[in-house]
Amino acid sequence: MTNIYGYVRVSSRDQNEDRQVMALRELMVSEKNIFMDKQSGKDFQRPAYIRMVKRMKKDDLLYIKSIDRLGRNYGDILEQWRILTKEKGIDIVVLDMPLLDTRRGKDLMGTFLSDIVLQVLSFVAENERENIRKRQAEGILAAKAKGIKFGRPALPYPDNFREIHRDWRKKKITLRQAADACKMPVGTFYGKARKLENATKVSEIP
């Protein structure tokens, strides 16, 4: 008996998976056979996907909304497609791309055309991922050029920092005691101490 499965993936927990789930429900996919991951598609180390693949058997059918829901890495998508269709004997249907339906055209020409379409779409999915990453990096550089700072703002020096710093350098107190007196982690105290010392050296240059 053929079991029908559906796979849903969104990149983060705040993204909405409703569009994908509704498409699977319209195909009468049982709720217990809809597997969903909320994480990046950079690889296939996803809990729900792994559970689903372990459950599927020969001649089962898998629906996915689009090829990038399966994954975003060109090589990995092709390898998973091969494992599912060739090794496990599962049929796959990509709803947004009717040509990617392994139930059709199982002759040599049909398989050839399906493989070409799969490779093109896998490349497009990965290329888009790289473009997004590039645009994000360019956006960060542009923002930094405008003086926009990222990350948490630096903690201000406490009023007693110079005094405690002096006692620490004179070895009257330990690094841990100095950090505790300033109510900050040891690494933060040490970093601020080095920054203060470097600034003092620069100001002493005639």
Side-chain angles (χ1 to χ4, degrees):
M1 179 178 177
T2 298
N3 292 305
I4 301 175
Y5 294 87
Y7 181 67
V8 174
R9 184 186 67 79
V10 289
S11 298
S12 61
R13 294 194 174 275
D14 58 351
Q15 286 189 329
N16 195 313
E17 67 277 4
D18 288 351
R19 186 175 69 92
Q20 297 177 65
V21 174
M22 287 176 61
L24 296 174
R25 286 173 179 165
E26 289 175 0
L27 293 166
M28 306 302 290
V29 180
S30 170
E31 293 289 337
K32 68 177 182 179
N33 285 347
I34 295 178
F35 290 78
M36 178 167 56
D37 283 307
K38 292 191 175 185
Q39 66 184 79
S40 168
K42 65 179 181 179
D43 58 44
F44 284 86
Q45 297 306 308
R46 308 176 215 139
Y49 181 82
I50 292 171
R51 289 199 309 273
M52 179 186 70
V53 172
K54 286 181 178 179
R55 184 184 295 184
M56 289 191 296
K57 297 179 175 60
K58 189 177 186 304
D59 295 327
D60 283 348
L61 174 62
L62 172 63
Y63 285 111
I64 55 174
K65 186 76 172 81
S66 57
I67 195 67
D68 64 343
R69 297 306 87 199
L70 185 61
R72 287 190 176 276
N73 182 287
Y74 174 62
D76 286 350
I77 293 174
L78 294 176
E79 176 62 12
Q80 284 298 310
W81 191 278
R82 185 191 65 78
I83 291 172
L84 293 174
T85 60
K86 308 299 184 186
E87 294 185 10
K88 294 187 72 74
I90 295 164
D91 277 316
I92 305 176
V93 176
V94 180
L95 300 178
D96 286 352
M97 180 53 62
L99 283 174
L100 288 179
D101 182 343
T102 61
R103 299 171 302 177
R104 303 176 181 175
K106 288 185 179 287
D107 59 4
L108 182 61
M109 181 57 69
T111 301
F112 175 70
L113 292 175
S114 179
D115 285 349
I116 290 177
V117 174
L118 172 63
Q119 291 192 42
V120 171
L121 291 180
S122 299
F123 172 78
V124 170
E126 182 176 12
N127 192 55
E128 177 60 18
R129 177 168 168 258
E130 292 299 322
N131 285 338
I132 290 172
R133 184 182 299 168
K134 183 178 179 181
R135 288 194 294 268
Q136 288 173 337
E138 290 172 346
I140 291 172
L141 287 175
K144 285 182 176 180
K146 294 180 180 178
I148 298 174
K149 295 183 178 180
F150 294 85
R152 293 179 296 179
L155 293 172
Y157 287 94
D159 295 336
N160 60 347
F161 187 84
R162 286 180 179 275
E163 179 183 347
I164 294 172
H165 171 262
R166 183 171 60 251
D167 289 344
W168 169 59
R169 280 306 187 191
K170 289 182 178 180
K171 298 186 178 181
K172 293 181 179 180
I173 57 176
T174 65
L175 177 60
R176 168 63 67 182
Q177 290 171 331
D180 289 344
C182 291
K183 297 181 179 179
M184 60 178 61
V186 170
T188 302
F189 175 85
Y190 185 79
K192 285 186 174 295
R194 295 295 298 166
K195 187 175 181 180
L196 175 65
E197 291 162 7
N198 290 335
T200 301
K201 289 177 183 177
V202 171
S203 65
E204 289 175 352
I205 297 175

